[in-house]
């Protein structure tokens, strides 16, 4: 009996001893991981890097800038208020068949159309033309006119309207000039700009009707119609308009340039992470051939700008995370940190998703500070020793003051400066409020109310689990070329990139959680915030 009882006790003691050894071993490994590390030295930027960047970016630019849009569009406008009329007199031998218009920055303008038949002096409302709606801004549209009308009268039914150009065409599709065109010199002065086919090349499409319009309003001091996003992205669009005019090329060029600039930025980020030019080139190349990147940067919307600044602020934060203020001059460590905060400020001023991405920056930043704290605790146990060329005494003396100064620095560059950038972005914004802070604050209320209560639907919308499969991509534009040809623009990812990227992303999550891989954690955070 004694032996039977005794044996398990000995086994338990042996098991307990092994368990203690395991705990000690794990604790030693943990302490070893907390040993102060030297800053990672960045790869030197060489001529090879420059050649790679220029090659990939140059080829991509040729495709991105090709057929971006017409550089000419009507520029002069004719303003109308409710009750104003335009009377158009035609040569009776050349009756018009269609009326084309190019609308200014007021949408859904309603007009009544009256006509005088050939040989008659009586104005009549043609059947089916009691109310004409001129819908999209900065976009060519048309109607077919009643037969045999020698005079037309358009009466504005809306509170205000802006028409950039009117063009009448004969049955052959040729533009014809009204007899009294001189009376409306800003309405019939650019008829040669009427395109053979109305398409995305010469007109706004999808959300350009909001953002391109806002850029125009910023430049002309008009009341800002689109108030659902911060202004900075539209300010960047307006720079293209200021340089190239209010034309499709003008309102799209800024986003396309930022899309091009993302490529060298992504190369630098990939090179910093992998320390390999091959993998940096591969990342840059895969991004260049992604369909969504291509489509999204050739349309005048604000998503391209916030995406650029998100990548930029994570690039600088990663550079900071690879530095240690124990072996690098303290002020030098603040440079990438400050640049990250400034980039975040421009991102938030472009779209609120920049603020959500800032949460990921905070996670990376405080994880880095915790790393410095763990190194400080390690140094306390052996104050006279050194690790990787860093004296523990120096760590003990400087951890608290450096950490305090870094946090205070972040309050300036991640709170105060982004707020100033955000506030200043409202300078061109025109509303019923005059004070800069007042109109900014009022617009935040509008944005919050809009997005929190938004229940809008879209005929080409899809549920979240359909996004990776791209079975139903969002349709931006469709057009008719002929009886047998159609054209369209869709936004969806490159299946080769996306379908390989999904398991790669899951693997990064595994490495971040299981292996405590800091690079994987950063990539996971960046991918999550970018999505």
């Amino acid at each position: 009996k004694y032996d039977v009882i005794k044996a398990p006790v000995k086994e338990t003691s042996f098991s307990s001893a092994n368990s203690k050894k395991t705990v000690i071993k794990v604790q030693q490994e943990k302490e070893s991981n907390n040993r102060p590390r030297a800053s990672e030295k960045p790869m030197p930027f060489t001529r090879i890097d420059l050649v790679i960047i220029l090659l990939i970016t140059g080829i991509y630019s040729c495709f991105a800038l090709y057929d971006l849009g017409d550089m000419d569009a009507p520029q002069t406008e004719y303003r109308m208020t409710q009750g104003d009329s335009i009377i158009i007199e035609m040569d009776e031998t050349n009756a018009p068949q269609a009326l084309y218009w190019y609308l200014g920055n007021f949408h859904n303008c309603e007009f009544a159309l009256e006509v005088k038949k050939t040989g008659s002096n009586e104005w009549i409302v043609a059947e089916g033309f009691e109310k004409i709606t001129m819908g999209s801004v900065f976009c060519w549209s048309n109607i077919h006119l009643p037969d045999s009308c020698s005079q037309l009268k358009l009466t504005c039914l809306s509170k205000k309207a802006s028409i950039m150009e009117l063009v009448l065409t004969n049955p052959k599709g040729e533009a014809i000039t009204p007899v009294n065109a001189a009376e409306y010199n800003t309405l019939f002065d650019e008829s040669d700009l009427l395109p053979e086919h109305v398409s995305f090349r010469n007109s706004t499409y999808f959300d350009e009707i909001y953002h391109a319009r806002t850029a125009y309003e910023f430049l002309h001091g008009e009341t800002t119609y689109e108030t659902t996003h911060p202004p900075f992205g539209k300010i960047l669009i307006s720079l293209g308009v200021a340089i190239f005019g209010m034309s499709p090329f003008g309102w799209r060029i800024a986003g396309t340039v930022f899309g091009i600039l993302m490529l060298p930025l992504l190369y630098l980020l990939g090179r910093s992470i992998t320390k390999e030019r091959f993998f940096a080139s591969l990342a840059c190349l895969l991004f260049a051939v992604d369909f969504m990147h291509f489509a999204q940067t050739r349309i005048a919307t604000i998503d391209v700008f916030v995406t650029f600044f998100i990548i930029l602020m994570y690039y600088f934060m990663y550079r900071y995370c690879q530095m240690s203020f124990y072996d690098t001059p303290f002020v030098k460590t603040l440079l990438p940190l400050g640049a990250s905060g400034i980039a975040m400020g421009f991102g938030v001023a472009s779209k609120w998703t920049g603020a959500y991405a800032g949460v990921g920056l905070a996670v990376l930043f405080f994880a880095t500070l915790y790393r410095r704290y763990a190194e400080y605790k390690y140094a306390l146990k052996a104050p006279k020793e050194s690790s990787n060329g860093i004296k523990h005494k120096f760590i003990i003396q400087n951890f608290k003051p450096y950490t305090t100064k870094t946090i205070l620095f972040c309050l300036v560059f991640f709170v105060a400066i982004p707020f100033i950038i955000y506030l200043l972005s409202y300078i061109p914004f025109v509303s019923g409020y005059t004070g800069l802070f007042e109109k900014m604050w009022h617009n935040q209320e509008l944005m919050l109310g809009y997005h929190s209560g938004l229940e809008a639907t879209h005929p080409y919308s899809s549920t979240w689990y359909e996004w990776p499969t791209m079975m139903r991509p969002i349709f931006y534009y469709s057009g008719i070329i002929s009886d047998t040809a159609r054209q369209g623009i869709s936004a969806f990812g490159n299946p080769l990139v996306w379908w390989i990227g999904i398991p790669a992303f899951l693997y990064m999550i595994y490495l971040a959680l299981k292996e405590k891989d800091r690079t994987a954690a950063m990539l996971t955070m960046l991918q999550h915030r970018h999505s």
Side-chain angles (χ1 to χ4, degrees):
K1 290 183 180 179
Y2 179 81
D3 291 336
V4 172
I5 296 173
K6 183 85 173 182
V9 173
K10 288 184 177 180
E11 184 177 347
T12 303
S13 300
F14 179 76
S15 176
S16 176
N18 282 343
S19 178
K20 288 181 180 179
K21 289 181 180 178
T22 302
V23 171
I24 293 173
K25 185 177 180 181
V26 170
Q27 188 173 357
Q28 289 175 342
E29 289 179 355
K30 185 176 180 181
E31 290 180 356
S32 178
N33 288 335
N34 292 334
R35 186 176 183 180
R37 302 175 185 173
S39 298
E40 290 190 17
K41 294 182 179 180
M43 289 180 62
F45 190 86
T46 66
R47 186 177 298 177
I48 297 176
D49 296 298
L50 181 61
V51 170
I52 293 172
I53 288 175
L54 291 178
L55 182 63
I56 297 177
T57 304
I59 294 174
Y60 175 82
S61 299
C62 294
F63 288 96
L65 294 172
Y66 173 73
D67 202 19
L68 185 60
D70 291 351
M71 299 185 70
D72 292 318
Q75 300 296 311
T76 58
E77 65 173 342
Y78 184 83
R79 289 289 181 102
M80 301 179 71
T81 57
Q82 193 171 31
D84 290 346
S85 295
I86 300 171
I87 296 176
I88 305 171
E89 300 177 6
M90 304 300 301
D91 184 347
E92 294 185 2
T93 62
N94 198 7
Q97 184 185 61
L99 172 66
Y100 287 81
W101 63 80
Y102 188 85
L103 209 59
N105 66 311
F106 302 120
H107 69 294
N108 292 338
C109 298
E110 295 182 340
F111 292 84
L113 176 63
E114 297 174 86
V115 299
K116 279 186 179 180
K117 296 287 186 178
T118 303
S120 173
N121 291 321
E122 181 182 357
W123 288 108
I124 60 172
V125 178
E127 185 177 354
F129 294 92
E130 295 84 358
K131 184 184 291 185
I132 300 172
T133 301
M134 298 185 181
S136 297
V137 297
F138 303 104
C139 179
W140 286 102
S141 300
N142 72 89
I143 57 170
H144 283 274
L145 296 169
D147 296 333
S148 304
C149 56
S150 59
Q151 294 188 48
L152 308 173
K153 181 164 71 170
L154 282 171
T155 302
C156 183
L157 303 178
S158 301
K159 290 184 179 180
K160 53 187 176 180
S162 170
I163 303 176
M164 309 294 282
E165 191 69 15
L166 289 178
V167 180
L168 293 114
T169 60
N170 59 23
K172 295 181 180 180
E174 300 168 336
I176 52 179
T177 305
V179 174
N180 62 333
E183 298 177 22
Y184 307 98
N185 60 337
T186 60
L187 272 179
F188 301 99
D189 59 332
E190 299 169 293
S191 59
D192 59 316
L193 296 178
L194 176 67
E196 183 178 354
H197 298 289
V198 176
S199 71
F200 72 92
R201 296 176 176 86
N202 45 64
S203 301
T204 54
Y205 71 97
F206 200 65
D207 281 351
E208 287 186 339
I209 60 175
Y210 304 116
H211 302 129
R213 169 181 178 171
T214 303
Y216 177 87
E217 291 165 344
F218 282 176
L219 291 172
H220 291 80
E222 301 274 358
T223 300
T224 305
Y225 171 75
E226 189 270 309
T227 59
T228 58
H229 295 291
F232 189 67
K234 279 91 73 174
I235 291 175
L236 294 174
I237 295 174
S238 71
L239 294 178
V241 174
I243 297 172
F244 296 100
M246 190 59 189
S247 63
F249 186 89
W251 63 65
R252 292 172 192 156
I253 183 61
T256 304
V257 169
F258 269 75
I260 292 171
L261 292 177
M262 279 190 215
L263 297 181
L265 178 58
L266 199 70
Y267 176 84
L268 294 175
L269 178 61
R271 199 180 71 122
S272 296
I273 293 173
T274 65
K275 303 296 186 295
E276 293 283 348
R277 291 188 179 89
F278 171 78
F279 290 113
S281 303
L282 181 62
C284 183
L285 184 62
L286 290 176
F287 193 64
V289 298
D290 186 64
F291 304 152
M292 180 167 285
H293 172 73
F294 183 76
Q296 201 68 41
T297 59
R298 283 168 49 90
I299 182 173
T301 58
I302 57 177
D303 301 276
V304 57
F305 305 114
V306 67
T307 302
F308 174 85
F309 289 118
I310 286 175
I311 297 175
L312 185 63
M313 67 195 198
Y314 272 87
Y315 168 73
F316 285 122
M317 180 57 75
Y318 183 79
R319 288 292 308 121
Y320 173 76
C321 292
Q322 302 307 303
M323 301 171 73
S324 172
F325 50 44
Y326 295 140
D327 68 345
T328 302
F330 177 71
V331 174
K332 189 175 180 180
T333 66
L334 299 180
L335 296 179
L337 197 59
S340 179
I342 293 172
M344 190 192 81
F346 285 119
V348 176
S350 299
K351 198 173 183 180
W352 275 0
T353 48
Y356 310 148
V359 176
L361 291 182
V363 172
L364 296 174
F365 170 73
F366 284 108
T368 301
L369 279 192
Y370 179 78
R371 171 68 193 173
R372 300 289 89 81
Y373 170 73
E375 293 171 343
Y376 165 72
K377 296 288 287 184
Y378 183 95
L380 286 175
K381 296 179 180 180
K384 295 183 178 181
E385 296 182 6
S386 62
S387 300
N388 294 310
I390 305 172
K391 293 182 179 180
H392 290 184
K393 184 179 179 180
F394 181 84
I395 295 175
I396 295 170
Q397 291 175 342
N398 291 284
F399 168 72
K400 291 181 180 179
Y402 281 1
T403 300
T404 302
K405 291 177 183 178
T406 300
I407 292 176
L408 291 175
F409 181 84
C410 287
L411 290 176
V412 174
F413 277 83
F414 285 89
V415 179
I417 290 180
F419 176 77
I420 293 172
I421 293 172
Y422 194 88
L423 181 63
L424 293 179
S425 71
Y426 277 86
I427 290 177
F429 190 91
V430 178
S431 66
Y433 298 84
T434 54
L436 186 61
F437 182 84
E438 188 180 22
K439 63 182 177 181
M440 181 278 291
W441 185 257
H442 176 67
N443 190 228
Q444 307 317 295
E445 296 175 342
L446 291 177
M447 284 192 287
L448 182 61
Y450 173 81
H451 290 291
S452 60
L454 183 63
E455 296 182 358
T457 59
H458 189 279
Y460 284 91
S461 62
S462 58
T463 51
W464 65 269
Y465 53 82
E466 292 178 308
W467 299 344
T469 61
M470 293 169 279
M471 295 295 292
R472 187 179 172 83
I474 189 168
F475 212 22
Y476 280 175
Y477 168 81
S478 64
I480 299 174
I481 299 176
S482 66
D483 293 339
T484 58
R486 301 290 187 270
Q487 61 182 353
I489 299 174
S490 298
F492 63 98
N494 185 328
L496 176 65
V497 178
W498 283 39
W499 291 348
I500 294 177
I502 293 171
F505 174 58
L506 296 177
Y507 182 61
M508 289 299 104
I509 296 177
Y510 166 79
L511 290 179
L513 297 178
K514 186 71 175 178
E515 305 295 333
K516 308 300 180 183
D517 190 306
R518 293 183 299 165
T519 300
M522 197 282 294
L523 289 174
T524 301
M525 197 66 63
L526 176 59
Q527 174 63 27
H528 173 67
R529 296 301 166 188
H530 178 55
S531 300

